Amino acid sequence: MATDTPLRPADSAAFDEDRGQSRPAPAASGWAPRLRRLIGIDEPLLAWVPEERARYTWYGVLVVNTALLGALSMVLALSSFRSDLPLAAVAVVAVLWFWVVLALDSWLVSSTHGTSVRKWTLLVRFFLSVLLGLFIAEPILFQIFDKEIRQEIAVGNEQKVAEYRGLLVSCNPTDGASTTDRPECARYQLKVEGSPAELARQIKSNGDRAAALRTQVVGINKTLGGKQSTEQRLCGEKYWIWRGGVRDVTITCERARRATSEYEKNSKIKTYERQLEDLVEQGQALAARKDRAADDYQPLLQKAIDDKTRQRAAALDTDGILTRAHGLKEVAGSDGFALFLTIVLHLLLLCLDAMPVLAKVLSGATTYDTLLGARHRASRTLYGEELQVQHACARLEHDVQRHHVEVDSTDRKSRLEHEYQRARAERAAAERAELEARMGRIMRARGVRT
């Protein structure tokens, strides 16, 4: 009978036992499925090819390792560049960066599943992973070459400070001579009071002002002396006159006196003389200061140079990312082996960071990719057929609706026609009844007259 016919050959059970697994394989448990879920693996589909579970598990391990490496890189970066941050803030930022790297690598790997993925898309994803790797690798390289970088930064800063101090000394001579005619000294000139040259300029300026004021005072005194001589001459005894029986001066004498008094008042001779005396005293004081300036100016200048040098040294960066990057470049450029080691470490860290996508590129399409591609094609085919069925059903539904509308329209037209004919018959009957009533009234009117 048909029910007695075996579904499989007798030796097929032994064949399944040799294979050790059925298709699909039983669902896996533990941490391995969670790792595979990170990279977008469909466990029911992978159950048809359980031989590839280990491969995709290690893909998930690579993604987690890259995220952990990124978190470690962020911790090293923050501890190097922002040592003032509290430990809790560093931990929060590291966890967030771990999540960002994990999400990005998970998307990069999960987007490569399926045979429909083209090689150029894999290269684009690999390029993105390399960019991410560069950001992760640099802080680790800074930490590996930390001692050499700090030494290079210290030497460079010492050289910068020495050059700065040399310019300060060159642009600020001990005799206080001006260096404004030197373009390189535009930003390195110090203002120190009491320099011999400055005092000499002040003495010269004071002498020029005193000489100009002395010339002005001499001119005013000369004019005032002339007016006083004229006054004395016009007010002499030979010009006296008798007025009221008393000898008195003339009106001309009185005018001369008023002119002398007004000129003395308007010329401000007293003020100018006091200013001249102050300038003379100030010149004497400046001359005394100049005699002592040679001993007092040099310590003040040296202190100003030392203060500026300390400020310059304190302002130089020692832990900034650009400073450390420049230091790493100097370390790599100063020694061939250091350059070789830097390149090797760069490549190693980049390969570690890009390993999830790199492993996918190197391994090529797997059986799981083939099955997933087949599922995608089947899904597209089924979806296309579903759309066709929906389109056919919608078209039939539209035909039914159209027929319903046509039937309903025909029925409504019939009812309208019937109502119209009935109304028309009623109007005709009413008109006949009205005509008959009129004829009856006419006939009755004629019968009465006859």
Side-chain angles (χ1 to χ4, degrees):
M1 298 175 63
T3 55
D4 296 334
T5 304
L7 297 177
R8 294 182 298 175
D11 58 348
S12 61
F15 178 72
D16 287 343
E17 292 178 357
D18 293 340
R19 290 191 306 173
Q21 289 184 348
S22 60
R23 295 295 187 278
S29 61
W31 54 269
R34 295 185 177 89
L35 290 175
R36 293 193 293 267
R37 195 176 298 118
L38 286 176
I39 57 175
I41 294 299
D42 186 0
E43 286 295 321
L45 181 61
L46 188 63
W48 290 92
V49 280
E51 299 83 4
E52 295 185 356
R53 282 177 172 173
R55 170 184 293 184
Y56 286 105
T57 301
W58 286 113
Y59 278 170
V61 172
L62 289 177
V63 170
V64 174
N65 287 341
T66 303
L68 290 174
L69 191 63
L72 175 62
S73 173
M74 182 59 68
V75 171
L76 294 177
L78 292 178
S79 61
S80 299
F81 308 140
R82 293 296 304 274
S83 58
D84 57 330
L85 290 177
L87 181 60
V90 174
V92 170
V93 175
V95 170
L96 291 177
W97 184 240
F98 169 83
W99 172 251
V100 170
V101 176
L102 180 65
L104 182 58
D105 280 341
S106 298
W107 171 78
L108 288 173
V109 174
S110 62
S111 62
T112 60
H113 299 323
T115 56
S116 60
V117 179
R118 296 179 176 84
K119 293 297 182 181
W120 68 269
T121 59
L122 292 176
L123 293 178
V124 171
R125 293 180 177 89
F126 179 71
F127 176 72
L128 293 176
S129 63
V130 168
L131 290 181
L132 181 62
L134 286 174
F135 188 80
I136 295 176
E138 290 305 313
I140 298 178
L141 285 175
F142 291 157
Q143 195 66 27
I144 293 175
F145 292 99
D146 181 69
K147 184 177 180 180
E148 291 79 6
I149 291 174
R150 291 186 180 276
Q151 183 178 359
E152 184 65 32
I153 292 175
V155 172
N157 288 346
E158 289 178 0
Q159 184 178 359
K160 292 178 181 178
V161 171
E163 292 176 355
Y164 182 77
R165 184 181 183 86
L167 287 172
L168 289 178
V169 172
S170 175
C171 296
N172 297 276
T174 55
D175 59 352
S178 176
T179 57
T180 55
D181 57 336
R182 294 169 56 183
E184 68 275 10
C185 294
R187 297 185 296 115
Y188 300 97
Q189 294 175 348
L190 301 177
K191 294 182 179 180
V192 181
E193 296 182 356
S195 66
E198 180 65 24
L199 289 175
R201 287 192 294 270
Q202 293 179 8
I203 291 173
K204 183 178 181 303
S205 176
N206 184 80
D208 294 340
R209 291 170 57 195
L213 188 58
R214 185 177 293 108
T215 301
Q216 186 177 3
V217 169
V218 169
I220 293 174
N221 285 331
K222 184 177 180 181
T223 303
L224 183 60
K227 289 184 177 294
Q228 288 175 350
S229 298
T230 303
E231 177 188 347
Q232 291 176 0
R233 180 175 56 82
L234 294 176
C235 294
E237 294 183 358
K238 66 176 183 177
Y239 291 101
W240 289 356
I241 60 174
W242 288 94
R243 183 180 299 167
V246 181
R247 292 175 65 88
D248 195 1
V249 295
T250 62
I251 296 176
T252 304
C253 174
E254 292 177 355
R255 290 177 179 174
R257 286 178 179 177
R258 286 195 300 270
T260 301
S261 299
E262 291 177 358
Y263 181 78
E264 184 178 4
K265 180 180 180 181
N266 295 332
S267 64
K268 300 180 180 178
I269 183 61
K270 299 298 183 182
T271 303
Y272 292 150
E273 288 177 347
R274 285 194 300 271
Q275 291 179 356
L276 180 59
E277 291 175 0
D278 294 340
L279 289 176
V280 172
E281 292 177 359
Q282 187 176 358
Q284 293 173 355
L286 289 174
R289 287 180 59 188
K290 183 180 179 182
D291 296 336
R292 300 190 305 269
D295 298 330
D296 298 339
Y297 176 69
Q298 291 186 5
L300 295 176
L301 177 62
Q302 187 65 33
K303 182 178 182 303
I305 292 176
D306 293 341
D307 293 342
K308 284 291 185 180
T309 303
R310 282 194 295 270
Q311 293 176 7
R312 175 62 175 173
L316 290 176
D317 183 35
T318 57
D319 291 325
I321 184 170
L322 295 179
T323 302
R324 293 177 70 84
H326 179 73
L328 179 61
K329 185 189 74 172
E330 294 296 330
V331 170
S334 61
D335 184 77
F337 181 74
L339 177 61
F340 170 76
L341 189 59
T342 302
I343 295 175
V344 170
L345 289 175
H346 261 105
L347 294 177
L348 177 61
L349 291 174
L350 286 178
C351 289
L352 289 177
D353 296 333
M355 186 56 68
V357 177
L358 186 62
K360 186 67 178 181
V361 173
L362 294 177
S363 63
T366 62
T367 305
Y368 174 81
D369 291 327
T370 303
L371 295 179
L372 185 60
R375 174 180 285 185
H376 289 165
R377 292 190 295 272
S379 297
R380 286 194 296 269
T381 302
L382 291 175
Y383 183 71
E385 293 176 354
E386 178 67 19
L387 288 180
Q388 292 178 0
V389 171
Q390 292 179 5
H391 179 69
C393 292
R395 186 171 59 249
L396 294 175
E397 183 66 24
H398 291 164
D399 292 340
V400 171
Q401 292 179 0
R402 185 184 300 109
H403 181 68
H404 181 271
V405 171
E406 291 176 354
V407 172
D408 183 65
S409 298
T410 304
D411 184 58
R412 290 172 63 186
K413 288 178 181 180
S414 299
R415 289 199 299 271
L416 288 174
E417 184 66 23
H418 176 71
E419 291 177 358
Y420 174 75
Q421 294 295 337
R422 185 180 63 183
R424 185 176 180 181
E426 290 177 354
R427 287 196 299 272
E431 290 175 356
R432 286 196 300 271
E434 184 178 358
L435 290 175
E436 290 175 356
R438 288 181 180 179
M439 286 296 297
R441 289 195 297 272
I442 292 172
M443 294 299 294
R444 285 193 296 272
R446 288 179 179 179
V448 172
R449 284 198 293 268
T450 56

